[in-house]
Amino acid sequence: MKTKRQVQKEATRLHILETAYQIYAEEGFSATTNQIAKAASVSHGTIFVHFPTVENLIVCLLDDFNAEINGQLHGLSEKNEQLETFLEAHINVLIRYEAFYKRLISEVNSLPQEAKFVFINMQSIVSFHFNQVIERCKNEKTVKEIPMHIIFNSWLGLVHYYLTNSYLFTEGSVLTEYKEELICNFIKLIEK
Amino acid sequence: MKTKRQVQKEATRLHILETAYQIYAEEGFSATTNQIAKAASVSHGTIFVHFPTVENLIVCLLDDFNAEINGQLHGLSEKNEQLETFLEAHINVLIRYEAFYKRLISEVNSLPQEAKFVFINMQSIVSFHFNQVIERCKNEKTVKEIPMHIIFNSWLGLVHYYLTNSYLFTEGSVLTEYKEELICNFIKLIEK
DNA sequence: CATTTCGTTGACTCCGCACTCAGTGACTTT
DNA sequence: AAAGTCACTGAGTGCGGAGTCAACGAAATG
């Protein structure tokens, strides 16, 4: 049985993480602990009660994010799906977290090493599912004979390019707006 | 006729820009004016004699870089070149500035707005040359019927993806190591 | 009810940043 | 050669960041 205190503490911790997620999505990872504290309506010191350093806060946040994304991608490739359905599902997941994901991919390189590892892990899960779907397509001989990793990197490269340069394309959600175009043309590229 | 002083001043300015280029390539744009001053063996204040703010220093640096890249790309598409030759030339230019270019593409979003404009300009020059070559290929019916901008964005997306995630692929120069693979497979993707 | 525990607070310290400016001496001008 | 100019200097300033800690009071304990 949890005491009132324990419940409160966990709630505060979660609240800080959720607020940090929002702030980082809006401002990028250069946002300060001050901003987060203010937005979460807790004192500045409270953040350091729950997380020894900002780096630790970011790593915890990414761990949670990673788990969330994995949960959503789970079983995505097992239902004998079409490539098109799979790509659409992938984009749909990204749309749900678009603002944050965009910051993440364009700023990973300036994040702590540990955070980078979490990100790599995230990518490899996507890669795994992608692999399964493409292998199936290759067996059905509908896809060109091109190394798997090139196909995967082309897809992720294209999606990430639209995300990081979204200001070139639209003011709203690039993924929502270009989803069909991206999927349809990518399939045209890789099919025989 | 230039006085000794003018010559000296211009030399110092150029020296600061060159040093900043080196430091930013190595450390990213979060490198400080202190680091640059130390590396250039000038006093900290000297930087602000030549550039009113760090932002201005970065914008001047990018202007120079932009001019340099443009110079190298100039006439690249006019010689009735093959697509393969063009892509290789493009990569070769990037290899020459790889470390800096890598920092640039992964940090533009956190650079001052003015710097972003210079970057957009750079991209559009590449796009222009790319366009010419692809249009020629389309006339020769060797390339799929896919919108020009998708082809261009796929290429740049792929190259940028390898650059920003270079730590996944190699410790040295990704472009040098994966040049052939990227070019050859990209051509396979877009050809009929 | 008295005592102890502990989640929370916010004023505080320390640090490193961009940027300043009075001073200096080599160069330029007259 | 005297007077004036100006590129360069580096200690100094103000600012805003991350992280600290004595103090508080509600919750837990006996």
Side-chain angles (χ1 to χ4, degrees):
Chain A
M1 165 68 189
K2 279 181 186 170
T3 65
K4 224 178 183 181
R5 272 186 182 159
Q6 283 173 306
V7 172
Q8 177 56 36
K9 191 173 185 182
E10 277 173 35
T12 305
R13 189 192 134 96
L14 192 64
H15 179 57
I16 292 173
L17 282 173
E18 281 167 353
T19 310
Y21 172 87
Q22 289 295 339
I23 297 289
Y24 285 144
E26 285 163 26
E27 312 275 334
F29 287 93
S30 59
T32 66
T33 44
N34 249 315
Q35 282 177 272
I36 296 170
K38 208 167 278 180
S41 305
V42 298
S43 118
H44 183 219
T46 304
I47 291 180
F48 296 93
V49 170
H50 294 273
F51 308 95
T53 62
V54 189
E55 292 210 355
N56 180 263
L57 167 65
I58 292 177
V59 171
C60 291
L61 180 53
L62 287 190
D63 271 333
D64 283 11
F65 185 65
N66 186 24
E68 178 108 8
I69 293 281
N70 281 356
Q72 305 230 1
L73 289 175
H74 187 70
L76 211 67
S77 55
E78 288 164 13
K79 307 173 198 154
N80 252 33
E81 268 168 1
Q82 292 290 311
L83 175 59
E84 192 179 338
T85 326
F86 174 79
L87 295 181
E88 198 183 339
H90 181 213
I91 297 259
N92 283 340
V93 171
L94 296 187
I95 286 176
R96 230 165 283 149
Y97 308 97
E98 185 165 333
F100 185 80
Y101 188 76
K102 191 176 139 180
R103 295 293 184 177
L104 184 56
I105 59 172
S106 72
E107 297 177 33
V108 235
N109 280 306
S110 48
L111 257 38
Q113 193 58 40
E114 217 181 320
K116 227 160 150 174
F117 290 145
V118 182
F119 181 70
I120 294 173
N121 182 263
M122 238 176 74
Q123 303 283 68
S124 69
I125 301 282
V126 181
S127 170
F128 170 76
H129 292 296
F130 196 91
N131 219 322
Q132 289 197 308
V133 178
I134 292 288
E135 284 309 328
R136 204 152 55 221
C137 292
K138 277 194 177 170
N139 289 339
E140 292 164 9
K141 314 255 183 203
T142 56
V143 161
K144 283 180 180 166
E145 281 304 327
I146 291 180
M148 178 35 224
H149 65 275
I150 292 278
I151 301 185
F152 176 66
N153 293 340
S154 294
W155 171 246
L156 225 50
L158 192 61
V159 172
H160 285 192
Y161 184 84
Y162 273 73
L163 277 169
T164 51
N165 299 287
S166 58
Y167 58 92
L168 292 176
F169 303 110
T170 173
E171 285 184 11
S173 155
V174 225
L175 292 186
T176 310
E177 207 152 318
Y178 288 82
K179 178 162 75 169
E180 268 82 34
E181 190 176 342
L182 286 175
I183 294 172
C184 139
N185 282 304
F186 178 74
I187 290 178
K188 270 192 202 163
L189 278 177
I190 66 170
E191 76 189 353
K192 275 184 182 161
Chain B
M1 164 68 190
K2 279 182 183 168
T3 65
K4 227 177 181 180
R5 268 184 186 164
Q6 284 174 305
V7 172
Q8 176 56 37
K9 193 175 183 182
E10 276 172 35
T12 306
R13 190 191 133 95
L14 192 64
H15 179 58
I16 292 173
L17 282 173
E18 280 167 352
T19 311
Y21 173 87
Q22 289 295 340
I23 297 289
Y24 285 144
E26 286 163 25
E27 312 276 334
F29 288 92
S30 59
T32 66
T33 45
N34 248 316
Q35 282 177 271
I36 295 170
K38 209 167 277 179
S41 304
V42 298
S43 119
H44 185 218
T46 304
I47 291 180
F48 296 93
V49 169
H50 295 272
F51 309 95
T53 61
V54 190
E55 292 209 354
N56 181 261
L57 166 64
I58 292 177
V59 171
C60 290
L61 179 54
L62 287 190
D63 270 333
D64 284 11
F65 184 65
N66 185 24
E68 177 109 6
I69 293 279
N70 281 356
Q72 305 230 0
L73 289 176
H74 186 68
L76 212 67
S77 56
E78 290 164 10
K79 306 173 201 154
N80 253 31
E81 268 168 0
Q82 292 289 312
L83 176 60
E84 192 178 340
T85 326
F86 174 79
L87 295 181
E88 198 181 342
H90 180 213
I91 296 258
N92 283 339
V93 171
L94 295 187
I95 286 176
R96 230 164 283 149
Y97 308 96
E98 185 164 334
F100 185 80
Y101 187 77
K102 191 176 140 181
R103 294 295 183 175
L104 184 56
I105 58 172
S106 73
E107 296 177 33
V108 234
N109 281 306
S110 48
L111 257 38
Q113 192 59 40
E114 218 182 319
K116 227 161 150 175
F117 290 145
V118 182
F119 180 71
I120 294 174
N121 182 262
M122 238 176 75
Q123 302 284 68
S124 70
I125 302 282
V126 181
S127 169
F128 170 76
H129 292 296
F130 196 90
N131 218 320
Q132 289 197 309
V133 178
I134 292 288
E135 284 308 327
R136 207 152 53 223
C137 293
K138 277 194 176 170
N139 290 338
E140 292 164 11
K141 315 254 183 203
T142 55
V143 161
K144 284 180 180 167
E145 282 304 326
I146 290 179
M148 178 35 223
H149 66 274
I150 291 279
I151 301 186
F152 176 66
N153 293 339
S154 293
W155 171 245
L156 224 51
L158 191 61
V159 172
H160 285 192
Y161 184 83
Y162 273 74
L163 277 168
T164 51
N165 299 288
S166 58
Y167 59 92
L168 292 176
F169 303 110
T170 172
E171 284 184 12
S173 155
V174 225
L175 291 185
T176 311
E177 207 152 319
Y178 287 82
K179 179 163 75 169
E180 269 83 34
E181 189 174 344
L182 287 175
I183 294 172
C184 139
N185 282 305
F186 178 73
I187 290 178
K188 269 193 204 161
L189 277 177
I190 66 169
E191 76 189 355
K192 276 184 181 163

